[in-house]
Amino acid sequence: DRYLDVDHAWGGGLDFKYFMARYFGFGLEGYALDARQAVGTALGTFTFRYPIPTSRFAPYVFAGGGVIFNGSRIDTTVDNNGAVFHDVQHDSDSRGLGQFGGGLEFRLTPHVGIMQDFSWNVVDGPKNNFGMVRGGITFAF
């Protein structure tokens, strides 16, 4: 990944969703990653879920878009002999971000659950895309 400039990173975030109906909802999400420097995102999402009748499971898929900021910018330069050099500059380079994925929620109670999913993040520019495994606690109000 050229935007994050690392092979892996840890992070955390929040996702607020409003389900307008039983099966779909809209959300606002943000997360930060420790990728040699703090990299943050802000995006809007659409989620489709299917709560399986008479069970505590609800598989879901989601897609969204927004912005990722404070990543690396890699500039490639070529000298007169054809040698390629990569200069990594760490600055607040912001890019467009698309995200899609799917997962599973398990409700422990009618208002508290746990979730696990995978998201694929598509970042503007060559070789910037990355995948992310996420887990967390859900609260339904």
Side-chain angles (χ1 to χ4, degrees), residues 8-118:
H8 62 278
W10 287 94
L14 292 173
D15 186 6
F16 298 96
K17 289 189 185 344
Y18 176 70
F19 282 88
M20 301 161 59
R22 179 177 173 89
Y23 300 108
F24 65 90
F26 295 93
L28 296 174
E29 176 182 329
Y31 59 85
L33 300 173
D34 178 16
R36 296 188 188 168
Q37 63 183 9
V39 175
T41 65
L43 59 148
T45 60
F46 175 79
T47 302
F48 175 80
R49 69 175 177 178
Y50 182 74
I52 299 172
T54 67
S55 82
R56 295 174 180 249
F57 294 97
Y60 59 91
V61 294
F62 57 91
V67 64
I68 187 167
F69 48 90
N70 207 32
S72 301
R73 185 179 72 221
I74 298 178
D75 296 323
T76 302
T77 56
V78 180
D79 69 7
N80 293 336
N81 297 326
V84 177
F85 299 95
H86 297 284
D87 299 321
V88 179
Q89 299 175 356
H90 294 280
D91 57 9
S92 56
D93 186 24
S94 297
R95 303 275 177 101
L97 169 72
Q99 181 186 77
F100 60 92
L104 182 67
E105 179 185 10
F106 177 77
R107 287 283 173 99
L108 301 169
T109 71
H111 299 287
V112 178
I114 56 174
M115 53 74 66
Q116 185 75 41
D117 67 25
F118 177 81

